[in-house]
Amino acid sequence: EKKKSFVSLTWDEEGANYVTKFASIYRVLEFFVRVRVFGTHRSKDIDSIVWLLKMSEDVEMKDQATPSHSVSSLPPSTLHHLKEIASIIETGSYSKEVRRIARALRLTFALRRKLTAPVLSSFLDYVLAPASEPHTRLSSYLPNPKEGDREMEVDTATSVIQTSAAKHLLPELEIYSYLLVLLFLIDQKRYDVAKACSSASIVRLKSLNRRTVDVIASRLYFYYSYSYELTGDLAEIRGNLLALHRIATLRHDELGQETLLNLLLRNYLHYNLYDQAEKLRSKAPRFEAHSNQQFCRYLFYLGKIRTIQLEYTDAKESLLQAARKAPGAAQGFRIQCNKWAVIVRLLLGEIPERTVFMQRGMEKALRPYFELTNAVRIGDLELFRNVAEKFATTFNRDRTHNLIVRLRHNVIRTGLRNISISYLRISLSDVAKKLRLNSASPVADAESIVAKAIRDGAIDASLDHANGWMVSKETGDIYSTNEPQLAFNSRIAFCLNMHNEAVRALRFPPNTHKEKESAEKRRERQQQEQELAKHIAEEDDDDF
């Protein structure tokens, strides 16, 4: 109890007799030593104890009257966390460790919902010199905070040191400040101001050539494009994105190249410029992926391009791989991948499994595609037409309406296959009725459809033009054909591809074949591997 009183007295009381209190505490300690060792004491020691006890009682009564607001009793504020992140960025800049910058960004996105104008203003005062040009420019993008709110956000533990501390002038911290302000403006739906802030940040980035800035720059590129996309002005920055991609290539900024290539592909696909997107993709330099998120986006855009170009097999592989590699937190991205993958598989003549539509959190979003798949599986053209009209708004929003128009031929072919299996001989007029062909001459259309299906090998039948019949042949043994071989070949190729990707993703410590490691080095290596796996998991769970 006495120790608690002494500590509260030392930290709560301030004034001219600050040194006197420490001297009195020293006398108390000396008194206890004398009594414990020598069995004697002095009268001035007793006076010091009486004075300290009286002061501690006053302090305790004061604490009971007014609750304490000391720094230790309060949780760390958002400003305190931002200052810690700034110190991590500063350390990573001086040591040239990019992984520290990446860790700082992961911590930042965890605080994104807590960013306010007073917090950002205080952080800018901490990081940048008040009279500097970056401070003035960034402060102009923020709304004027109230003085009371700003005082509440200031960290009292460092406010005394802040006045005398030197300002940080690192480019990494300046670009990081741009990123924080841009995130705040986008979350506050101030898109016009966000456009101006992102443009200013891109101008500043063009003059910097530091590898420790590349990680922050890649995020700024994304939000630069996103701010213009939110305002519908995405076409304005296409030339600037191409210039930034050229600069990143010359500076060997591979992470920036990945990000900018995906942004350019997104820009072209937004305006349905698939030919230009394919030309850019085919001529852009390719290298090993540095970011799993960017690689997933690239696979998704590649799948969309391949789908439009009627290369359904390659499109299916890219879309399924993108959905498989996407982190669990990126549910919206995985939904989009599954939507396009379902359409592509239907165009290939495959019927997706029911489990695809029953994935957790995706049932409602994939419901229109489930009903569409059911119509294609049955081969009912009327049901297919009703589903397409019922969910036309959803299909137009997903930009899959043109692909669904292509599915009409697959629906007819599926229905025709079911008819050929059920009937040995059937008239063409009955075929037109069962397929529900709404045309001026349904019998002629049914005859052409049947002839094309026979030529393509979809059905095993023949046409009797004189009598107007479709004569089906007996169903043969499928195992006497090459179908099982092709199915096994595709499955084996998939397994081999996955094995090769797993081997390429393995990480080996250097010089393992030259020297044998001791037990201590082995424990240290295992600890580093665990930390690396944790960082990779955190990176995969970032906002997508």
Side-chain angles (χ1 to χ4, degrees):
E1 292 297 327
K2 296 297 182 294
K3 181 179 180 182
K4 180 180 179 182
S5 301
F6 296 158
V7 172
S8 62
L9 173 67
T10 305
W11 285 98
D12 291 342
E13 294 292 332
E14 295 179 0
N17 57 351
Y18 194 83
V19 179
T20 307
K21 286 179 285 185
F22 272 103
S24 301
I25 294 174
Y26 173 76
R27 289 179 182 175
V28 172
L29 296 177
E30 185 181 7
F31 168 77
F32 285 124
V33 171
R34 286 179 180 274
V35 173
R36 181 74 174 176
V37 179
F38 302 106
T40 60
H41 60 273
R42 295 179 297 183
S43 59
K44 60 181 180 180
D45 295 333
I46 300 297
D47 296 337
S48 299
I49 294 174
V50 173
W51 180 80
L52 276 173
L53 291 176
K54 183 177 179 181
M55 291 297 296
S56 63
E57 290 177 359
D58 294 340
V59 171
E60 290 177 357
M61 291 179 64
K62 183 178 179 180
D63 291 339
Q64 293 176 1
T66 58
S68 173
H69 295 283
S70 61
V71 178
S72 60
S73 62
L74 293 176
S77 62
T78 305
L79 180 60
H80 177 73
H81 287 303
L82 290 177
K83 290 179 180 179
E84 290 182 347
I85 293 173
S87 64
I88 294 175
I89 294 176
E90 187 176 1
T91 305
S93 175
Y94 287 133
S95 60
K96 293 182 173 54
E97 292 182 272
V98 181
R99 62 181 183 84
R100 292 183 180 271
I101 311 293
R103 177 171 175 265
L105 289 181
R106 288 195 297 270
L107 295 174
T108 301
F109 286 103
L111 298 174
R112 180 172 178 175
R113 297 181 182 273
K114 300 180 182 179
L115 295 179
T116 59
V119 170
L120 292 177
S121 299
S122 302
F123 180 73
L124 293 179
D125 294 340
Y126 173 76
V127 174
L128 305 173
S132 62
E133 182 182 357
H135 184 278
T136 305
R137 184 184 298 111
L138 288 172
S139 299
S140 64
Y141 299 134
L142 296 174
N144 294 327
K146 298 180 181 180
E147 294 297 330
D149 295 339
R150 183 162 182 169
E151 290 177 0
M152 290 293 292
E153 296 293 341
V154 174
D155 193 353
T156 57
T158 57
S159 59
V160 178
I161 308 174
Q162 171 62 29
T163 57
S164 60
K167 298 294 182 181
H168 303 285
L169 298 176
L170 290 175
E172 288 82 2
L173 289 176
E174 180 184 348
I175 300 302
Y176 177 72
S177 301
Y178 273 106
L179 179 61
L180 284 179
V181 174
L182 185 56
L183 288 174
F184 171 75
L185 293 175
I186 291 176
D187 291 341
Q188 296 296 318
K189 302 184 186 310
R190 303 180 62 189
Y191 301 136
D192 294 332
V193 185
K195 284 172 55 178
C197 179
S198 61
S199 300
S201 66
I202 295 301
V203 172
R204 181 70 178 98
L205 275 175
K206 287 182 178 179
S207 61
L208 296 176
N209 187 12
R210 295 165 66 99
R211 299 286 71 79
T212 50
V213 180
D214 293 343
V215 181
I216 310 176
S218 63
R219 298 301 177 96
L220 269 179
Y221 295 148
F222 173 78
Y223 288 107
Y224 170 60
S225 176
Y226 185 56
S227 61
Y228 276 83
E229 183 179 352
L230 291 172
T231 56
D233 302 327
L234 200 57
E236 297 180 6
I237 61 171
R238 190 178 303 154
N240 204 5
L241 290 177
L242 289 169
L244 288 172
H245 186 268
R246 183 169 57 252
I247 293 173
T249 304
L250 295 175
R251 293 176 177 176
H252 302 286
D253 178 12
E254 295 184 350
L255 182 58
Q257 292 180 59
E258 281 184 338
T259 305
L260 290 167
L261 177 60
N262 287 332
L263 293 177
L264 284 167
L265 292 177
R266 183 183 183 88
N267 197 311
Y268 285 125
L269 297 183
H270 182 77
Y271 295 99
N272 297 325
L273 302 174
Y274 289 94
D275 292 337
Q276 297 185 27
E278 173 59 21
K279 289 179 181 178
L280 173 66
R281 188 209 62 80
S282 61
K283 295 181 180 180
R286 293 299 303 163
F287 39 80
E288 184 180 357
H290 290 264
S291 173
N292 182 59
Q293 294 92 334
Q294 298 301 329
F295 185 53
C296 290
R297 289 191 179 101
Y298 175 78
L299 290 174
F300 176 62
Y301 298 144
L302 178 61
K304 293 178 71 173
I305 294 172
R306 291 285 183 260
T307 303
I308 299 300
Q309 294 178 341
L310 306 180
E311 300 177 8
Y312 297 136
T313 304
D314 296 338
K316 171 191 170 184
E317 182 180 354
S318 299
L319 291 169
L320 292 180
Q321 190 177 4
R324 187 171 62 250
K325 285 181 173 292
Q331 189 170 3
F333 178 81
R334 294 171 60 229
I335 288 175
Q336 289 296 322
C337 291
N338 280 285
K339 287 179 179 179
W340 279 77
V342 166
I343 297 295
V344 171
R345 294 183 66 180
L346 291 176
L347 289 171
L348 283 171
E350 302 176 4
I351 302 299
E353 299 81 4
R354 182 180 289 267
T355 55
V356 174
F357 306 97
M358 298 294 116
Q359 299 182 57
R360 183 178 180 182
M362 299 186 187
E363 298 91 343
K364 184 177 180 180
L366 296 179
R367 184 67 186 179
Y369 296 87
F370 174 73
E371 296 190 13
L372 186 70
T373 303
N374 188 39
V376 176
R377 182 182 61 84
I378 297 174
D380 191 342
L381 192 60
E382 186 67 24
L383 179 60
F384 171 79
R385 192 180 297 113
N386 293 334
V387 172
E389 293 176 356
K390 179 180 178 181
F391 299 104
T393 305
T394 303
F395 296 145
N396 286 324
R397 184 175 63 249
D398 295 337
R399 298 193 173 192
T400 56
H401 186 266
N402 293 334
L403 300 177
I404 291 172
V405 173
R406 299 181 188 178
L407 281 175
R408 182 179 181 275
H409 181 68
N410 292 63
V411 177
I412 295 175
R413 179 172 293 186
T414 303
L416 190 60
R417 188 183 299 114
N418 294 335
I419 293 172
S420 67
I421 294 174
S422 302
Y423 296 92
L424 182 62
R425 186 179 64 181
I426 186 172
S427 64
L428 294 177
S429 59
D430 291 337
V431 171
K433 290 179 182 179
K434 289 184 177 296
L435 293 178
R436 300 183 183 183
L437 298 177
N438 298 327
S439 59
S441 56
V443 176
D445 291 344
E447 185 176 2
S448 63
I449 291 172
V450 171
K452 189 175 186 303
I454 293 174
R455 186 192 64 183
D456 295 340
I459 59 174
D460 191 8
S462 60
L463 271 175
D464 187 351
H465 296 280
N467 298 319
W469 292 338
M470 183 186 75
V471 181
S472 301
K473 298 180 181 179
E474 294 184 3
T475 305
D477 186 9
I478 193 173
Y479 288 99
S480 62
T481 64
N482 293 330
E483 290 295 330
Q485 179 184 356
L486 296 175
F488 280 118
N489 183 47
S490 63
R491 296 179 184 181
I492 293 172
F494 174 78
C495 294
L496 290 176
N497 186 26
M498 180 176 292
H499 174 266
N500 293 334
E501 290 181 1
V503 171
R504 283 195 295 267
L506 291 176
R507 297 173 182 265
F508 299 97
N511 299 328
T512 52
H513 60 285
K514 295 182 180 179
E515 55 184 11
K516 295 183 179 179
E517 58 181 359
S518 60
E520 183 179 357
K521 289 185 178 180
R522 187 185 305 110
R523 287 193 298 269
E524 183 179 356
R525 177 178 57 81
Q526 292 175 354
Q527 184 178 1
Q528 291 178 355
E529 290 176 355
Q530 292 176 358
E531 293 178 356
L532 180 60
K534 182 179 179 182
H535 288 324
I536 293 175
E538 291 177 354
E539 183 179 355
D540 287 344
D541 290 336
D542 280 351
D543 66 316
F544 213 76

